[in-house]
Amino acid sequence: MLPVILERVTPTAYYDLIKHYKETFNEEPPVEQQNAWRKLLEILSTISPPRPLILEYPIFTERADVIFVGKDKALVVEAKGWKRVSKVGDNVVEADGELHEDPCYQLNNYVSKLNLFHSSNIKFEGVLFLYNTSDYSSSECKVIRDVRELEEELNKFPPGSLEDAKKIAEGKLELKETFIQLVRKLKYEKLRSDLSKALLSKGYGLTEDQMKVMNAVFDALEKGKRVNFLIRGTSGSGKSLLAVTLYLEALSRGYTTILAYKNNRLINTVRKALGNELSSHIMFYSTGRREPPGVGEEGFENWFNKKFSKTNIDLIIFDEAQRMTEEVIKNSPRGKVNVYFYDDSQVLIGNEAGTRDNFLKFLEKVEEYELPSPVREPKQYIDFVKRILEGVKGNPGNFDFRIFDNIVDMLNELENRREKGKIALICSFTESEGDVENKTSWSSIKNIRVGYPIQSGFDLYKGMKFRGGELKIKWLMDEKTEYPRYWEGKLDPLKYCASVYGAQGFEADYVGVVWGRDLIWRNNGWTVNPDPITDYVGGSKSLKKLAKSDKMKALTLLKNRYYIMLTRGLRGVYVFFEDKETANAVKKLIENPSNVN
């Protein structure tokens, strides 16, 4: 598995790289990658004296080419064999006929992430090594073009040992801020013309895939093109962060811009994080009401013109666009440029139609991009979640995933984790439906999700104590007053729990999931149990209705829901099952039994 640690570059290093790449990705490295490795290793083999180095070190979704290791310092080398390079955007270059992220931005992104998020506490510095061209120059990073210049940089600090290299290679990279915490900081950068540079300093620089999207959107705006961008991204791939970044960047450049959501919990929390001044153009794309209509509903253009005295909209950004209905998709392209961030696997209700096929069916002048890899959690953990939801064995890797047989034990462990980061609790939409007339009431039995008594009569929690008192956890919080405070950390995270609607688009460092009796394991596979489901959102297309009329559709929606709930933790996810048979089945699907408590 990558990375590869070497005491020095040897004749076998090239073959070691290919072997480790194949072990990591289960495929041969591209020919271009093999050629680049061969040339780079040939150059590095001439360095004198040799010193330990790490090759292809993973930094979330990307990989640093080389890290030379010292005693308390390391040098990150981003090596490029390009022959012709020219800048085509703020942070994008064209190299040998293909678009790439600006190499200095890429290098600084790696160095910033390592210094801010790596567990080793080693000081990282960086150089850009362009060994084939003199085309590119930049004041943003140190650029070298000859191996002797690289030797000079290395001679500035004493060489380390293989143990020092292992300390880096075996260390962890862990994000330290949630999406909402970062959004709150971004509002202070609102006047910057290049918000992506502000993200760099916080360790959240954009990936090459994200930067290509930014470049394409602003290139279309500058050239006056009418285009619809489809941006498909897996859970944790940075869709919501990129959406907010596009929004603020477009505002700073003077474009009339709308950021649109369906989720009222998410929209209220983002509005509060950004403040009133920056939130006037954060809107719903679907409201189901005449006044005000959503961006994708009839009457929106007249309403927008009356409210803002504007008829032309330059850019509309739709986040969580998989939740659009067909009618909303048809009416949505009201901007000159429209951007749709979506993930088919996060559809929640039967009438939600935001799939690639439907976007291509109803939209014209479409350009597609993909954010293929998760930034938030390790890819191995995301793959593990997908596997268990398909009933296939998987391994969560080094991610802190645990199953608890007792909910109080899980809550106590989450309490212990509060010193290390933000915690949250998410529950299945079962047992209690929520009191829509009294959402903030603790006395309404409909608002109690965990405890006794609860609306369904489920008595699993009867007699349980937590923090010296009766176990009682409220849910379906008020969208305007409680949910924003919950995800900002201003409500006790273990006295309240979010539903899947209140969790989509959010995250915490450690998340506890209460897996209900809706998606259960019976007869060697997953099945739907309609009885405890209390989700009527969507009327005839609600999960409750579909669980009885179309179990296959309901099964798909439930798997989507648990995929969302199980991928909200940045550093750990803890699970308690309300159905013991399901708990035992999932335990058997885990290839690493140490994850069971």
Side-chain angles (χ1 to χ4, degrees):
M1 302 288 284
L2 294 176
V4 176
I5 304 173
L6 299 174
E7 191 169 13
R8 64 180 66 197
V9 176
T10 64
T12 64
Y14 170 72
Y15 301 101
D16 288 339
L17 263 176
I18 292 178
K19 174 188 172 186
H20 284 265
Y21 184 97
K22 289 167 67 174
E23 289 175 353
T24 303
F25 299 107
N26 296 314
E27 63 183 22
E28 291 279 345
V31 174
E32 297 84 357
Q33 180 69 81
Q34 294 184 42
N35 292 338
W37 284 340
R38 185 182 286 110
K39 179 63 177 177
L40 178 60
L41 290 168
E42 179 185 319
I43 294 171
L44 297 182
S45 67
T46 66
I47 290 177
S48 180
R51 62 181 65 210
L53 67 159
I54 303 170
L55 300 172
E56 296 296 318
Y57 182 75
I59 302 178
F60 297 113
T61 63
E62 301 178 292
R63 303 190 308 274
D65 292 331
V66 185
I67 300 178
F68 284 96
V69 181
K71 283 294 181 188
D72 54 6
K73 182 176 168 182
L75 185 69
V76 181
V77 179
E78 185 58 28
K80 304 292 185 186
W82 299 332
K83 294 180 180 178
R84 294 175 301 279
V85 188
S86 60
K87 290 185 73 69
V88 295
D90 289 334
N91 296 301
V92 176
V93 299
E94 183 177 313
D96 295 342
E98 295 184 355
L99 292 182
H100 293 277
E101 190 169 51
D102 182 280
C104 271
Y105 186 96
Q106 185 180 32
L107 172 68
N108 291 335
N109 194 9
Y110 293 167
V111 172
S112 181
K113 282 178 166 61
L114 288 166
N115 279 323
L116 290 170
F117 304 142
H118 198 274
S119 60
S120 67
N121 294 320
I122 287 175
K123 172 67 176 175
F124 292 89
E125 296 181 2
V127 295
L128 175 61
F129 184 23
L130 299 177
Y131 54 83
N132 253 350
T133 184
S134 58
D135 286 355
Y136 177 92
S137 61
S138 175
S139 60
E140 299 291 331
C141 71
K142 174 83 173 181
V143 182
I144 59 176
R145 306 178 193 277
D146 183 85
V147 70
R148 301 305 153 217
E149 292 180 274
L150 179 55
E151 284 183 344
E152 290 177 11
E153 294 298 319
L154 292 173
N155 288 334
K156 292 179 181 178
F157 60 95
S161 64
L162 277 178
E163 289 304 313
D164 294 315
K166 288 179 181 178
K167 183 179 179 182
I168 294 175
E170 295 172 2
K172 280 190 175 184
L173 278 165
E174 294 181 330
L175 296 177
K176 294 182 179 178
E177 290 179 308
T178 66
F179 167 63
I180 293 301
Q181 288 170 328
L182 188 58
V183 168
R184 196 180 297 118
K185 288 187 175 182
L186 287 181
K187 72 179 178 182
Y188 299 112
E189 307 288 347
K190 62 184 179 182
L191 299 179
R192 291 189 64 145
S193 60
D194 188 352
L195 198 64
S196 55
K197 293 271 178 65
L199 287 168
L200 263 185
S201 64
K202 296 172 174 57
Y204 290 84
L206 301 181
T207 66
E208 181 162 279
D209 292 318
Q210 291 172 325
M211 192 64 79
K212 286 180 180 178
V213 173
M214 286 275 290
N215 182 69
V217 170
F218 286 107
D219 182 66
L221 287 168
E222 290 166 9
K223 292 178 179 177
K225 291 170 59 179
R226 287 191 172 272
V227 61
N228 295 303
F229 291 100
L230 290 187
I231 317 299
R232 188 177 193 170
T234 61
S235 178
S237 59
K239 298 186 298 296
S240 292
L241 175 59
L242 183 54
V244 171
T245 304
L246 278 170
Y247 172 69
L248 295 176
E249 179 75 19
L251 289 180
S252 74
R253 297 190 188 194
Y255 292 110
T256 299
T257 306
I258 293 172
L259 175 58
Y261 299 93
K262 179 179 180 178
N263 187 335
N264 52 6
R265 302 151 188 86
L266 182 57
I267 198 172
N268 289 326
T269 306
V270 172
R271 281 172 172 169
K272 190 168 183 180
L274 285 177
N276 294 333
E277 182 183 353
L278 294 173
S279 296
S280 62
H281 282 51
I282 298 179
M283 304 174 183
F284 291 100
Y285 62 68
S286 174
T287 66
R289 302 191 301 270
R290 287 184 174 272
E291 191 74 22
V295 178
E297 294 174 321
E298 289 187 16
F300 175 78
E301 289 173 323
N302 288 335
W303 174 85
F304 185 81
N305 185 22
K306 287 179 182 178
K307 184 169 181 64
F308 296 101
S309 300
K310 294 179 182 179
T311 56
N312 294 320
I313 302 170
D314 298 308
L315 173 64
I316 304 178
I317 304 151
F318 299 97
D319 197 11
E320 308 288 358
Q322 71 275 356
R323 302 199 60 199
M324 289 181 164
T325 64
E326 289 188 359
E327 198 61 31
V328 168
I329 295 173
K330 292 176 189 176
N331 292 325
S332 62
R334 303 188 190 275
K336 295 175 184 175
V337 176
N338 305 284
V339 183
Y340 300 80
F341 289 96
Y342 75 105
D343 178 1
D344 310 68
S345 63
Q346 295 194 46
V347 170
L348 299 180
I349 302 172
N351 64 348
E352 293 174 353
T355 65
R356 179 177 182 270
D357 287 346
N358 283 331
F359 286 126
L360 294 177
K361 178 180 177 181
F362 297 118
L363 302 178
E364 299 177 350
K365 298 179 181 178
V366 172
E367 293 184 20
E368 295 188 78
Y369 289 82
E370 189 155 0
L371 306 177
S373 300
V375 176
R376 189 170 56 215
E377 298 99 344
K379 184 176 183 300
Q380 183 176 357
Y381 174 70
I382 297 294
D383 291 340
F384 161 75
V385 171
K386 292 177 180 178
R387 289 176 70 85
I388 64 169
L389 289 173
E390 292 306 318
V392 179
K393 283 190 174 184
N395 190 331
N398 293 326
F399 189 77
D400 188 5
F401 174 81
R402 297 187 233 171
I403 294 173
F404 288 80
D405 290 331
N406 185 299
I407 192 171
V408 174
D409 292 341
M410 183 180 80
L411 296 175
N412 285 330
E413 185 61 23
L414 286 169
E415 188 88 88
N416 293 337
R417 294 290 168 179
R418 290 184 80 166
E419 294 181 1
K420 295 188 176 182
K422 182 180 176 183
I423 62 173
L425 199 58
I426 306 171
C427 297
S428 64
F429 213 126
T430 54
E431 312 303 345
S432 299
E433 63 185 284
D435 191 337
V436 295
E437 300 298 326
N438 299 286
K439 293 181 180 180
T440 62
S441 171
W442 278 83
S443 60
S444 174
I445 195 172
K446 293 181 179 180
N447 288 337
I448 305 305
R449 174 59 184 84
V450 174
Y452 183 82
I454 55 178
Q455 185 182 358
S456 68
F458 188 47
D459 64 357
L460 179 66
Y461 304 111
K462 187 175 183 179
M464 286 193 180
K465 304 290 184 182
F466 177 59
R467 293 174 174 167
E470 180 185 1
L471 174 63
K472 193 174 185 180
I473 298 174
K474 181 183 175 298
W475 90 317
L476 294 187
M477 295 169 270
D478 184 88
E479 297 87 346
K480 290 185 177 181
T481 61
E482 290 181 309
Y483 260 113
R485 292 171 62 211
Y486 183 79
W487 288 110
E488 289 175 341
K490 295 179 180 178
L491 289 181
D492 187 335
L494 299 182
K495 288 182 68 176
Y496 296 80
C497 68
S499 71
V500 67
Y501 300 110
Q504 198 169 37
F506 297 103
E507 71 271 311
D509 293 291
Y510 296 91
V511 168
V513 175
V514 177
W515 190 309
R517 300 183 296 150
D518 46 0
L519 181 63
I520 58 175
W521 187 275
R522 296 291 187 271
N523 300 318
N524 297 314
W526 292 112
T527 190
V528 178
N529 177 18
D531 297 337
I533 295 174
T534 53
D535 183 1
Y536 294 91
V537 177
S540 63
K541 299 294 184 180
S542 70
L543 181 62
K544 182 67 173 181
K545 296 288 187 181
L546 289 173
K548 295 181 178 179
S549 64
D550 187 348
K551 280 203 171 186
M552 289 305 296
K553 179 71 172 179
L555 182 61
T556 298
L557 294 177
L558 276 171
K559 288 180 178 180
N560 289 352
R561 289 167 180 236
Y562 279 100
Y563 173 69
I564 292 167
M565 291 191 286
L566 293 169
T567 56
R568 299 302 97 187
L570 299 175
R571 301 163 71 180
V573 172
Y574 305 153
V575 185
F576 171 72
F577 290 85
E578 292 182 323
D579 180 75
K580 186 168 288 188
E581 188 173 338
T582 304
N584 292 333
V586 174
K587 289 174 186 178
K588 292 176 182 178
L589 293 175
I590 301 174
E591 293 177 347
N592 182 358
S594 64
N595 296 85
V596 178
N597 286 278

